[in-house]
Amino acid sequence: MKPCIIIPVYNHEAAIPHVLAKLRDFKIPTFLVNDGSSALCSRILVDCAEHEPDWLTLINRPQNGGKGAAVLDGFKAAQALGFSHAIQIDADGQHDVNDIPAFLEAGRQQPEALILGQPLFDVTAPKSRVYGRRIANLWVWINTLSSAVADSMCGFRLYPLAAAAKLTDGTDIARGMDFDIDILVRLYWQGTDVVNIPTHVQYPYDGVSHFKLWQDNVRISKAHAKLFFGMLIRIPQLLGRHRS
């Protein structure tokens, strides 16, 4: 197992140095994917990468393409350098990086599985987001015909890169905030098992969220609808998986 970390970054100039400071002691090769950030955030990312060249690699996207687009670019860079697994975490400091060893151990035990964060929220979590996740999770259970996924929207996860590459080579994966749901369901359809790891989440400590309540909820709803019709033609396959 050869793991790396991928962090999609869009205008989190205040939070990202603190996130990297917490990651430094792990010495895990880390890809910072600058998704068309502001000049200020871009300068900070360059400075971070130049000061920690032994474990930080900066990938610059010319314009903002969305979280999914940034993570997919990270996947390609990681695979090109021979990494087998990629930990995805957010740039705003909401994820507890102290749980990284638990994710890696789960990946070692089941190297072909997708390791998902199962959020344990504190009082900083907006109620609208918590309730929204419950609806999203329900749709994922429908679209996988399974309750294997404890949480479908947590951005803290460990991907087996071979499975991700097999999927993305022939499938147009969502590029925005619907990415986490879309790739998760499609990996499950592909046969990837899921392991859930409880992890504490705070919202977010730099006070910046790029989740657009109406726009992104519409985008996610469309993704669920598209996945639902994809599930219908896979019902025999999914039921056969449960029987086996």
Side-chain angles (χ1 to χ4, degrees), residues 3 10-11 24 42 44-45 50 54 66 73-74 77 92 108 125 131 163 166 191 193-195 204 208 228 231:
Y10 179 60
N11 293 344
R24 184 179 294 115
S42 296
I44 289 174
L45 293 176
E50 288 180 349
D54 54 328
D73 279 2
D92 59 7
R108 291 187 187 97
Y131 296 143
K166 179 181 176 182
D193 288 331
V194 170
V195 175
V208 176
F228 176 76
M231 176 275 293

PDB file of all heavy atoms in Angstrom, residues 3 10-11 24 42 44-45 50 54 66 73-74 77 92 108 125 131 163 166 191 193-195 204 208 228 231:
ATOM      1  N   PRO A   3       0.140   5.132   0.064  1.00  0.00           N
ATOM      2  CA  PRO A   3      -0.913   6.167   0.142  1.00  0.00           C
ATOM      3  C   PRO A   3      -0.392   7.581  -0.067  1.00  0.00           C
ATOM      4  O   PRO A   3       0.790   7.884   0.156  1.00  0.00           O
ATOM      5  CB  PRO A   3      -1.429   5.999   1.569  1.00  0.00           C
ATOM      6  CG  PRO A   3      -0.200   5.609   2.335  1.00  0.00           C
ATOM      7  CD  PRO A   3       0.639   4.761   1.398  1.00  0.00           C
ATOM      8  N   TYR A  10     -10.035  25.768  -2.711  1.00  0.00           N
ATOM      9  CA  TYR A  10     -10.594  26.936  -3.391  1.00  0.00           C
ATOM     10  C   TYR A  10     -10.835  28.030  -2.364  1.00  0.00           C
ATOM     11  O   TYR A  10     -11.783  27.980  -1.576  1.00  0.00           O
ATOM     12  CB  TYR A  10     -11.900  26.582  -4.116  1.00  0.00           C
ATOM     13  CG  TYR A  10     -12.541  27.755  -4.810  1.00  0.00           C
ATOM     14  CD1 TYR A  10     -11.860  28.459  -5.811  1.00  0.00           C
ATOM     15  CD2 TYR A  10     -13.816  28.181  -4.454  1.00  0.00           C
ATOM     16  CE1 TYR A  10     -12.447  29.546  -6.444  1.00  0.00           C
ATOM     17  CE2 TYR A  10     -14.420  29.270  -5.090  1.00  0.00           C
ATOM     18  CZ  TYR A  10     -13.724  29.944  -6.083  1.00  0.00           C
ATOM     19  OH  TYR A  10     -14.304  31.030  -6.708  1.00  0.00           O
ATOM     20  N   ASN A  11      -9.918  28.978  -2.321  1.00  0.00           N
ATOM     21  CA  ASN A  11     -10.042  30.167  -1.467  1.00  0.00           C
ATOM     22  C   ASN A  11     -10.182  29.831   0.018  1.00  0.00           C
ATOM     23  O   ASN A  11     -11.024  30.405   0.715  1.00  0.00           O
ATOM     24  CB  ASN A  11     -11.206  31.044  -1.935  1.00  0.00           C
ATOM     25  CG  ASN A  11     -10.941  31.665  -3.300  1.00  0.00           C
ATOM     26  OD1 ASN A  11      -9.801  31.694  -3.762  1.00  0.00           O
ATOM     27  ND2 ASN A  11     -11.991  32.155  -3.937  1.00  0.00           N
ATOM     28  N   ARG A  24       1.730  17.651   8.828  1.00  0.00           N
ATOM     29  CA  ARG A  24       3.185  17.600   8.636  1.00  0.00           C
ATOM     30  C   ARG A  24       3.825  16.368   9.281  1.00  0.00           C
ATOM     31  O   ARG A  24       4.674  15.698   8.674  1.00  0.00           O
ATOM     32  CB  ARG A  24       3.828  18.872   9.198  1.00  0.00           C
ATOM     33  CG  ARG A  24       5.335  18.958   8.951  1.00  0.00           C
ATOM     34  CD  ARG A  24       5.907  20.254   9.498  1.00  0.00           C
ATOM     35  NE  ARG A  24       5.388  21.404   8.778  1.00  0.00           N
ATOM     36  CZ  ARG A  24       4.617  22.352   9.327  1.00  0.00           C
ATOM     37  NH1 ARG A  24       4.267  22.264  10.610  1.00  0.00           N
ATOM     38  NH2 ARG A  24       4.203  23.370   8.620  1.00  0.00           N
ATOM     39  N   SER A  42      -3.657  31.577  -3.870  1.00  0.00           N
ATOM     40  CA  SER A  42      -2.663  30.937  -4.737  1.00  0.00           C
ATOM     41  C   SER A  42      -1.250  31.210  -4.242  1.00  0.00           C
ATOM     42  O   SER A  42      -0.401  30.305  -4.243  1.00  0.00           O
ATOM     43  CB  SER A  42      -2.833  31.426  -6.179  1.00  0.00           C
ATOM     44  OG  SER A  42      -4.090  31.039  -6.710  1.00  0.00           O
ATOM     45  N   ILE A  44      -0.355  31.802  -1.172  1.00  0.00           N
ATOM     46  CA  ILE A  44      -0.154  31.033   0.064  1.00  0.00           C
ATOM     47  C   ILE A  44       0.122  29.572  -0.255  1.00  0.00           C
ATOM     48  O   ILE A  44       0.988  28.931   0.367  1.00  0.00           O
ATOM     49  CB  ILE A  44      -1.382  31.187   0.986  1.00  0.00           C
ATOM     50  CG1 ILE A  44      -1.414  32.612   1.571  1.00  0.00           C
ATOM     51  CG2 ILE A  44      -1.369  30.147   2.104  1.00  0.00           C
ATOM     52  CD1 ILE A  44      -2.644  32.935   2.373  1.00  0.00           C
ATOM     53  N   LEU A  45      -0.571  29.025  -1.225  1.00  0.00           N
ATOM     54  CA  LEU A  45      -0.336  27.637  -1.612  1.00  0.00           C
ATOM     55  C   LEU A  45       1.068  27.446  -2.187  1.00  0.00           C
ATOM     56  O   LEU A  45       1.741  26.450  -1.895  1.00  0.00           O
ATOM     57  CB  LEU A  45      -1.392  27.180  -2.622  1.00  0.00           C
ATOM     58  CG  LEU A  45      -2.822  27.085  -2.093  1.00  0.00           C
ATOM     59  CD1 LEU A  45      -3.786  26.725  -3.217  1.00  0.00           C
ATOM     60  CD2 LEU A  45      -2.927  26.064  -0.971  1.00  0.00           C
ATOM     61  N   GLU A  50       6.551  25.443  -1.469  1.00  0.00           N
ATOM     62  CA  GLU A  50       7.985  25.724  -1.543  1.00  0.00           C
ATOM     63  C   GLU A  50       8.690  25.463  -0.222  1.00  0.00           C
ATOM     64  O   GLU A  50       9.868  25.087  -0.204  1.00  0.00           O
ATOM     65  CB  GLU A  50       8.205  27.177  -1.979  1.00  0.00           C
ATOM     66  CG  GLU A  50       7.874  27.413  -3.446  1.00  0.00           C
ATOM     67  CD  GLU A  50       8.085  28.857  -3.868  1.00  0.00           C
ATOM     68  OE1 GLU A  50       8.282  29.718  -2.970  1.00  0.00           O
ATOM     69  OE2 GLU A  50       8.051  29.132  -5.088  1.00  0.00           O
ATOM     70  N   ASP A  54       9.444  18.344   0.335  1.00  0.00           N
ATOM     71  CA  ASP A  54       9.673  16.906   0.504  1.00  0.00           C
ATOM     72  C   ASP A  54       8.375  16.110   0.587  1.00  0.00           C
ATOM     73  O   ASP A  54       8.375  14.895   0.341  1.00  0.00           O
ATOM     74  CB  ASP A  54      10.514  16.634   1.751  1.00  0.00           C
ATOM     75  CG  ASP A  54       9.927  17.253   3.012  1.00  0.00           C
ATOM     76  OD1 ASP A  54       9.298  18.325   2.898  1.00  0.00           O
ATOM     77  OD2 ASP A  54      10.093  16.662   4.093  1.00  0.00           O
ATOM     78  N   GLY A  66     -14.682  23.059  -9.750  1.00  0.00           N
ATOM     79  CA  GLY A  66     -15.475  22.325  -8.770  1.00  0.00           C
ATOM     80  C   GLY A  66     -14.640  21.302  -8.023  1.00  0.00           C
ATOM     81  O   GLY A  66     -13.575  20.879  -8.470  1.00  0.00           O
ATOM     82  N   ASP A  73      -8.237  15.507 -10.826  1.00  0.00           N
ATOM     83  CA  ASP A  73      -6.877  15.871 -11.233  1.00  0.00           C
ATOM     84  C   ASP A  73      -5.852  15.306 -10.252  1.00  0.00           C
ATOM     85  O   ASP A  73      -4.768  14.859 -10.644  1.00  0.00           O
ATOM     86  CB  ASP A  73      -6.733  17.387 -11.308  1.00  0.00           C
ATOM     87  CG  ASP A  73      -7.274  17.960 -12.610  1.00  0.00           C
ATOM     88  OD1 ASP A  73      -7.800  17.180 -13.433  1.00  0.00           O
ATOM     89  OD2 ASP A  73      -7.168  19.190 -12.808  1.00  0.00           O
ATOM     90  N   GLY A  74      -6.218  15.326  -8.976  1.00  0.00           N
ATOM     91  CA  GLY A  74      -5.334  14.738  -7.967  1.00  0.00           C
ATOM     92  C   GLY A  74      -5.162  13.243  -8.173  1.00  0.00           C
ATOM     93  O   GLY A  74      -4.057  12.706  -8.025  1.00  0.00           O
ATOM     94  N   ALA A  77      -2.649  12.632 -11.015  1.00  0.00           N
ATOM     95  CA  ALA A  77      -1.275  12.911 -10.606  1.00  0.00           C
ATOM     96  C   ALA A  77      -0.758  11.826  -9.670  1.00  0.00           C
ATOM     97  O   ALA A  77       0.397  11.384  -9.779  1.00  0.00           O
ATOM     98  CB  ALA A  77      -1.206  14.277  -9.929  1.00  0.00           C
ATOM     99  N   ASP A  92     -10.809  23.124   4.617  1.00  0.00           N
ATOM    100  CA  ASP A  92     -11.303  24.106   5.587  1.00  0.00           C
ATOM    101  C   ASP A  92     -11.064  23.720   7.044  1.00  0.00           C
ATOM    102  O   ASP A  92     -11.470  24.438   7.953  1.00  0.00           O
ATOM    103  CB  ASP A  92     -12.783  24.385   5.365  1.00  0.00           C
ATOM    104  CG  ASP A  92     -13.653  23.131   5.487  1.00  0.00           C
ATOM    105  OD1 ASP A  92     -13.127  22.075   5.879  1.00  0.00           O
ATOM    106  OD2 ASP A  92     -14.859  23.216   5.171  1.00  0.00           O
ATOM    107  N   ARG A 108      -5.418  -1.019   4.607  1.00  0.00           N
ATOM    108  CA  ARG A 108      -4.476  -2.152   4.561  1.00  0.00           C
ATOM    109  C   ARG A 108      -5.215  -3.474   4.722  1.00  0.00           C
ATOM    110  O   ARG A 108      -4.867  -4.479   4.093  1.00  0.00           O
ATOM    111  CB  ARG A 108      -3.421  -2.003   5.656  1.00  0.00           C
ATOM    112  CG  ARG A 108      -2.454  -0.847   5.433  1.00  0.00           C
ATOM    113  CD  ARG A 108      -1.328  -0.848   6.467  1.00  0.00           C
ATOM    114  NE  ARG A 108      -0.504   0.343   6.336  1.00  0.00           N
ATOM    115  CZ  ARG A 108      -0.634   1.437   7.068  1.00  0.00           C
ATOM    116  NH1 ARG A 108      -1.571   1.481   8.023  1.00  0.00           N
ATOM    117  NH2 ARG A 108       0.151   2.483   6.874  1.00  0.00           N
ATOM    118  N   ALA A 125     -22.234  22.237  13.597  1.00  0.00           N
ATOM    119  CA  ALA A 125     -22.839  21.761  12.354  1.00  0.00           C
ATOM    120  C   ALA A 125     -24.200  22.415  12.129  1.00  0.00           C
ATOM    121  O   ALA A 125     -25.086  22.304  12.982  1.00  0.00           O
ATOM    122  CB  ALA A 125     -22.988  20.243  12.394  1.00  0.00           C
ATOM    123  N   TYR A 131     -29.677  17.685   8.404  1.00  0.00           N
ATOM    124  CA  TYR A 131     -30.912  17.084   7.911  1.00  0.00           C
ATOM    125  C   TYR A 131     -30.816  16.779   6.420  1.00  0.00           C
ATOM    126  O   TYR A 131     -31.339  15.767   5.942  1.00  0.00           O
ATOM    127  CB  TYR A 131     -32.098  18.018   8.189  1.00  0.00           C
ATOM    128  CG  TYR A 131     -32.364  18.246   9.665  1.00  0.00           C
ATOM    129  CD1 TYR A 131     -32.779  19.478  10.145  1.00  0.00           C
ATOM    130  CD2 TYR A 131     -32.182  17.214  10.581  1.00  0.00           C
ATOM    131  CE1 TYR A 131     -33.011  19.687  11.500  1.00  0.00           C
ATOM    132  CE2 TYR A 131     -32.410  17.414  11.934  1.00  0.00           C
ATOM    133  CZ  TYR A 131     -32.816  18.646  12.393  1.00  0.00           C
ATOM    134  OH  TYR A 131     -33.030  18.837  13.738  1.00  0.00           O
ATOM    135  N   ALA A 163      -9.410   1.186  -8.590  1.00  0.00           N
ATOM    136  CA  ALA A 163     -10.860   1.153  -8.804  1.00  0.00           C
ATOM    137  C   ALA A 163     -11.359   2.496  -9.317  1.00  0.00           C
ATOM    138  O   ALA A 163     -12.214   2.563 -10.210  1.00  0.00           O
ATOM    139  CB  ALA A 163     -11.577   0.781  -7.508  1.00  0.00           C
ATOM    140  N   LYS A 166     -10.364   2.843 -13.012  1.00  0.00           N
ATOM    141  CA  LYS A 166     -11.212   1.995 -13.857  1.00  0.00           C
ATOM    142  C   LYS A 166     -12.560   2.663 -14.095  1.00  0.00           C
ATOM    143  O   LYS A 166     -13.095   2.631 -15.220  1.00  0.00           O
ATOM    144  CB  LYS A 166     -11.408   0.642 -13.177  1.00  0.00           C
ATOM    145  CG  LYS A 166     -12.305  -0.321 -13.951  1.00  0.00           C
ATOM    146  CD  LYS A 166     -12.476  -1.627 -13.191  1.00  0.00           C
ATOM    147  CE  LYS A 166     -13.454  -2.555 -13.918  1.00  0.00           C
ATOM    148  NZ  LYS A 166     -13.673  -3.823 -13.168  1.00  0.00           N
ATOM    149  N   GLY A 191     -18.686  -2.644  -7.929  1.00  0.00           N
ATOM    150  CA  GLY A 191     -18.321  -3.792  -7.111  1.00  0.00           C
ATOM    151  C   GLY A 191     -17.412  -3.479  -5.948  1.00  0.00           C
ATOM    152  O   GLY A 191     -16.983  -4.385  -5.226  1.00  0.00           O
ATOM    153  N   ASP A 193     -16.352  -2.581  -2.353  1.00  0.00           N
ATOM    154  CA  ASP A 193     -16.942  -2.655  -1.017  1.00  0.00           C
ATOM    155  C   ASP A 193     -16.712  -1.337  -0.266  1.00  0.00           C
ATOM    156  O   ASP A 193     -15.826  -0.547  -0.612  1.00  0.00           O
ATOM    157  CB  ASP A 193     -16.334  -3.807  -0.231  1.00  0.00           C
ATOM    158  CG  ASP A 193     -16.799  -5.161  -0.733  1.00  0.00           C
ATOM    159  OD1 ASP A 193     -17.931  -5.243  -1.255  1.00  0.00           O
ATOM    160  OD2 ASP A 193     -16.028  -6.132  -0.644  1.00  0.00           O
ATOM    161  N   VAL A 194     -17.499  -1.138   0.783  1.00  0.00           N
ATOM    162  CA  VAL A 194     -17.451   0.100   1.568  1.00  0.00           C
ATOM    163  C   VAL A 194     -17.179  -0.230   3.030  1.00  0.00           C
ATOM    164  O   VAL A 194     -17.767  -1.157   3.590  1.00  0.00           O
ATOM    165  CB  VAL A 194     -18.786   0.866   1.445  1.00  0.00           C
ATOM    166  CG1 VAL A 194     -18.850   2.015   2.444  1.00  0.00           C
ATOM    167  CG2 VAL A 194     -18.971   1.387   0.019  1.00  0.00           C
ATOM    168  N   VAL A 195     -16.284   0.537   3.639  1.00  0.00           N
ATOM    169  CA  VAL A 195     -16.012   0.446   5.076  1.00  0.00           C
ATOM    170  C   VAL A 195     -16.228   1.827   5.672  1.00  0.00           C
ATOM    171  O   VAL A 195     -15.728   2.826   5.137  1.00  0.00           O
ATOM    172  CB  VAL A 195     -14.567  -0.018   5.347  1.00  0.00           C
ATOM    173  CG1 VAL A 195     -14.277   0.004   6.852  1.00  0.00           C
ATOM    174  CG2 VAL A 195     -14.318  -1.406   4.770  1.00  0.00           C
ATOM    175  N   PRO A 204     -17.153  25.113   9.462  1.00  0.00           N
ATOM    176  CA  PRO A 204     -15.749  24.832   9.252  1.00  0.00           C
ATOM    177  C   PRO A 204     -14.994  25.815  10.087  1.00  0.00           C
ATOM    178  O   PRO A 204     -15.538  26.842  10.445  1.00  0.00           O
ATOM    179  CB  PRO A 204     -15.547  25.086   7.747  1.00  0.00           C
ATOM    180  CG  PRO A 204     -16.554  26.159   7.415  1.00  0.00           C
ATOM    181  CD  PRO A 204     -17.693  25.984   8.412  1.00  0.00           C
ATOM    182  N   VAL A 208     -15.556  29.645   6.244  1.00  0.00           N
ATOM    183  CA  VAL A 208     -15.824  29.726   4.810  1.00  0.00           C
ATOM    184  C   VAL A 208     -16.402  28.408   4.320  1.00  0.00           C
ATOM    185  O   VAL A 208     -15.826  27.340   4.530  1.00  0.00           O
ATOM    186  CB  VAL A 208     -14.535  30.043   4.016  1.00  0.00           C
ATOM    187  CG1 VAL A 208     -14.814  30.034   2.512  1.00  0.00           C
ATOM    188  CG2 VAL A 208     -13.952  31.384   4.450  1.00  0.00           C
ATOM    189  N   PHE A 228     -30.668   7.226  -9.892  1.00  0.00           N
ATOM    190  CA  PHE A 228     -31.833   6.366  -9.704  1.00  0.00           C
ATOM    191  C   PHE A 228     -32.137   5.582 -10.982  1.00  0.00           C
ATOM    192  O   PHE A 228     -32.370   4.371 -10.937  1.00  0.00           O
ATOM    193  CB  PHE A 228     -33.045   7.203  -9.294  1.00  0.00           C
ATOM    194  CG  PHE A 228     -34.315   6.404  -9.167  1.00  0.00           C
ATOM    195  CD1 PHE A 228     -34.540   5.592  -8.060  1.00  0.00           C
ATOM    196  CD2 PHE A 228     -35.274   6.446 -10.159  1.00  0.00           C
ATOM    197  CE1 PHE A 228     -35.708   4.840  -7.953  1.00  0.00           C
ATOM    198  CE2 PHE A 228     -36.449   5.710 -10.062  1.00  0.00           C
ATOM    199  CZ  PHE A 228     -36.666   4.899  -8.953  1.00  0.00           C
ATOM    200  N   MET A 231     -29.660   2.988 -11.406  1.00  0.00           N
ATOM    201  CA  MET A 231     -29.899   1.860 -10.501  1.00  0.00           C
ATOM    202  C   MET A 231     -30.928   0.901 -11.081  1.00  0.00           C
ATOM    203  O   MET A 231     -30.792  -0.325 -10.966  1.00  0.00           O
ATOM    204  CB  MET A 231     -30.370   2.392  -9.144  1.00  0.00           C
ATOM    205  CG  MET A 231     -30.741   1.311  -8.125  1.00  0.00           C
ATOM    206  SD  MET A 231     -32.451   0.704  -8.261  1.00  0.00           S
ATOM    207  CE  MET A 231     -33.372   2.169  -7.787  1.00  0.00           C
TER     208      MET A 231
END
